[in-house]
Amino acid sequence: MPYSAAVAVFAVFIGLIFLHAPGWSEDEWAITEPGKPEQLAEPPDGGVADLGCKGESKWVEFRGGRDGRTRLMGKLCPPSYSNSTAHASPVVVMAHGLGLAQECSLESFANAFVNEGLATFTFDYATFGHSSGSPRHVVDPKTHIADIRAAIATLCDRSKELGVNAGQIGLWGTSLGGGHVLSAALDDAASSKSIKAVVSQVPHLASGLESVLGTFLRNPITYAPALGRVLAGVLKGLMLGITGSHWYLPLHGKPGSAAAMQNSGDSEGYGSLCPPHLHEKGHWKNSMTSGSVLRILFYRPLTKLTQFRSENLDLPPTLLVAAENDTLCPAMYAKHVAKRIRNAELLLLDGAGHFDVYDGKELERVIQQGTAFFRKHLIDL
């Protein structure tokens, strides 16, 4: 093919991507979201809010993010009663899943822990919810894990002020956050050993690439076009990145769309997690930067767990919750970890899917098991 023809074909290809790639720009974000993204980081007046917890709860500002200086916002909920005469309470740091804010369906779990005599600390990752950082909605597992470590450090450094026991900290994470808390616990086990118990619920353990392959093999006719749409969106984002602009893709959507999660039932399950007022106030949107896709594709906590085991170190007591019919985070990986990591227990939810843990009988079961596990390792010492 002559050089000029090749250039023409390439130009047409680039033009088609720019014209037809799914997603939206930062400008469209500004139109659809009330207020500027940085305004979402502002805490409520007075620093104290009704967070759905038993008793008075408060906002806690701390620093994290990729640079370690980004302002993060957390919510500390004290226990409904004390298990001892000591002023300080054991505390559970809670990490959410892919692209979610702390107001998205964590309340049921947090209230159960609070009613068991545990304090809880929820927070927004950098660029999400009330935390600052720009561009908004960047899913970056390394930064998320750094934010978890920053939350732990904050509770330890300010334990007297916050009324928590720095020697009785638990980690709880779900979905992508389930993988994050295992990674954070590995880091802690090799250093300060301040984490005493971990609950990892329907955890992301294999890479996003493996998840995509599984989705494609289940229905290649539907998902081959979807992969093309996602790839077009990512390519457009890479090209716009040269100019400093950002492109967004949906977090969840119907099968065949350009969404990160598009297995059957994903859109309904994920879409039910965030209350409508978050959309109305501009605190959350069904979107992430297109560059987030590449980070998720190659994020594989299972590799780190395997390397950790070879170093002959122990995780703190860990409860792995797996859903038998989970298509996003298959149960076989949690089973693998439970067999090979000392101090690990497995709770397998027969017949359940990924989002079943947030509602109904499966929610009741995981709450019961999770609270009992934390009570055993954080309270009944």
Side-chain angles (χ1 to χ4, degrees), residues 183-242:
S183 294
L186 292 179
D187 295 338
D188 179 79
S191 56
S192 64
K193 293 181 170 58
S194 58
I195 304 305
K196 304 305 181 187
V198 179
V199 174
S200 178
Q201 178 176 281
V202 290
H204 171 104
L205 292 170
S207 67
L209 192 60
E210 290 165 275
S211 179
V212 168
L213 179 60
T215 296
F216 176 78
L217 292 176
R218 277 190 293 274
N219 191 343
I221 294 177
T222 297
Y223 292 112
L227 289 176
R229 294 184 181 99
V230 174
L231 178 61
V234 170
L235 288 175
K236 183 167 183 176
L238 290 173
M239 289 184 284
L240 287 173
I242 298 173

Side-chain angles (χ1 to χ4, degrees), residues 202 321-325 347-353 357 362 365-366:
V202 290
V321 180
E324 182 183 29
N325 296 333
L347 171 62
L348 181 63
L349 305 175
D350 296 334
V357 298
E362 302 301 350
R365 187 178 179 193
V366 296

Side-chain angles (χ1 to χ4, degrees), residues 128-186:
F128 285 90
H130 290 287
S131 290
S132 59
S134 182
R136 303 301 293 171
H137 281 207
V138 176
V139 178
D140 183 350
K142 288 184 179 179
T143 301
H144 290 353
I145 295 167
D147 291 345
I148 294 171
R149 291 199 298 264
I152 295 167
T154 297
L155 293 171
C156 290
D157 295 343
R158 299 167 58 183
S159 58
K160 290 185 179 180
E161 170 198 345
L162 299 175
V164 298
N165 188 334
Q168 292 174 281
I169 298 178
L171 290 182
W172 179 96
T174 187
S175 194
L176 191 66
H180 292 347
V181 294
L182 290 172
S183 294
L186 292 179

